[in-house]
Amino acid sequence: MKKIGIASDHGGFELKEYLRKELGNSVEIIDYGTKDESSVDYPIVIAEACKKVLSNEVEGLIALCGTGIGASIAANRHKGIRAALCHDEFTAEMSRRHNNANVLVLGGRVLGKDLAARIAQKWLTTTFEAGRHERRVGQLDTIV
């Protein structure tokens, strides 16, 4: 069974809890916080969770904040992280197929729970096509 991390700030907490329960039958979910709706700094929470992806403790990460924008920016600061902020199933699929995204970012205050679950399920079940995309994905880690 795939082992996937999940992390959020207070703005994504409610959706994180929903997804943790909803996806728990298809993948092993490791919860990296936050543990309640108390205000926390998303750069710190997301950075700590991204370290778990980079150390191969988990195969991928679902990161959440209110809009997903801050979590996406924070995650993409880390060399080796390819975080994709997705709002529908198509972008989730393409983020995996063409960009080999290892972090899915969702906005807890902008997505409905059912849609978010479908997006996450699509991301979790889609694989990287490699081929012509492999060269481009490889170039991402050379950008300084």
Side-chain angles (χ1 to χ4, degrees):
M1 182 179 281
K2 258 186 187 178
K3 188 186 291 189
I4 300 295
I6 194 165
S8 74
D9 72 353
H10 52 282
F13 176 76
E14 184 178 337
L15 183 56
K16 176 184 74 81
E17 291 299 297
Y18 176 80
L19 291 174
R20 192 170 57 80
K21 293 171 186 158
E22 190 71 19
L23 303 172
N25 292 328
S26 58
V27 294
E28 181 181 353
I29 302 285
I30 308 298
D31 189 347
Y32 295 116
T34 192
K35 302 298 182 196
D36 58 39
E37 292 181 334
S38 301
S39 182
V40 296
D41 296 327
Y42 66 84
I44 294 168
V45 173
I46 301 306
E48 289 303 311
C50 284
K51 290 177 187 176
K52 306 301 184 180
V53 174
L54 295 171
S55 70
N56 296 313
E57 184 175 309
V58 290
E59 296 176 52
L61 174 69
I62 300 172
L64 304 96
C65 68
T67 63
I69 296 168
S72 179
I73 293 168
N76 279 312
R77 297 287 178 150
H78 301 272
K79 184 175 182 174
I81 293 293
R82 294 172 304 282
L85 174 57
C86 297
H87 292 13
D88 56 42
E89 292 166 88
F90 178 73
T91 54
E93 179 181 357
M94 291 298 106
S95 78
R96 292 288 300 134
R97 285 178 58 196
H98 291 186
N99 307 114
N100 201 18
N102 52 9
V103 177
L104 170 65
V105 184
L106 301 171
R109 295 179 178 154
V110 297
L111 291 174
K113 291 178 181 176
D114 291 338
L115 175 58
R118 289 195 315 271
I119 292 168
Q121 218 30 283
K122 179 60 79 172
W123 185 80
L124 289 167
T125 58
T126 302
T127 57
F128 182 46
E129 283 183 1
R132 71 182 193 274
H133 306 292
E134 202 161 16
R135 182 183 80 249
R136 296 170 187 139
V137 170
Q139 291 169 353
L140 293 172
D141 285 338
T142 66
I143 298 171
V144 288

